[in-house]
Amino acid sequence: DCRLFSSTGAAQPIASTGPPVVAEMNLMAPLAGTVLDLDVYQLDIDHTYISDLDIELIHPDGTTALFWDQACGSQNNISASFDDEASGEAPCPPTDGGFYTSASDQLSLFDNLPVTGTWTLRVTDNADVDGGSLNGFTLKICLEDGQTL
């Protein structure tokens, strides 16, 4: 059984001064169970030079997956989903809304962990001059067989 949980807060600015500059957005997964599979859906970031960015998903217990690691050179913006079972890595720029694997940590790091709690998406901008915003994201969380929501 799988459920979608979307961030509900306002877009978080990624300042053009720094580095590093960190923008974070949280979402709450208010259900019991163990992660069977997890995907990051509809990641929406406006930013020039996305190669400046590290993007991490942080589990409520602190387990962290770096799933975007300064890729794509001087390309702009991200509008994509990340799924370990997708057919390939994201194109540059990843603005087509497609599903891609991570070139860094796999989201399967969260498999077998409890679902319940506050999940955090963290964007770190490692260069100055340009900025943008973290607009939102959704998690698709599937539970182990036999568990109920």
Side-chain angles (χ1 to χ4, degrees), residues 24 27 30 32 34 62 74 81 95 97-98 107-108 113:
E24 292 184 343
L27 64 76
T34 303
S74 62
S81 297
T95 56
L107 296 170
S108 60
L113 294 178

Side-chain angles (χ1 to χ4, degrees), residues 47-53 71-77 125 127 130-131:
H47 192 281
T48 55
Y49 289 88
I50 56 176
S51 63
D52 295 347
L53 304 180
C72 287
S74 62
Q75 303 294 313
N76 301 332
N77 305 326
D125 186 348
D130 54 349

Side-chain angles (χ1 to χ4, degrees), residues 81-97:
S81 297
F82 294 87
D83 178 350
D84 288 349
E85 290 77 41
S87 62
E89 292 180 19
C92 292
T95 56
D96 64 356

Side-chain angles (χ1 to χ4, degrees), residues 59-137:
H59 181 271
D61 76 1
T63 300
T64 302
L66 172 69
F67 66 93
W68 183 270
D69 186 9
Q70 300 182 15
C72 287
S74 62
Q75 303 294 313
N76 301 332
N77 305 326
I78 298 173
S79 177
S81 297
F82 294 87
D83 178 350
D84 288 349
E85 290 77 41
S87 62
E89 292 180 19
C92 292
T95 56
D96 64 356
F99 288 81
Y100 303 102
T101 59
S102 169
S104 299
D105 292 339
Q106 297 298 302
L107 296 170
S108 60
L109 285 172
F110 302 113
D111 291 359
N112 301 312
L113 294 178
V115 173
T116 304
T118 301
W119 294 74
T120 302
L121 188 105
R122 176 184 296 150
V123 178
T124 303
D125 186 348
N126 295 291
D128 62 0
V129 179
D130 54 349
S133 64
L134 167 58
N135 300 316
F137 74 105

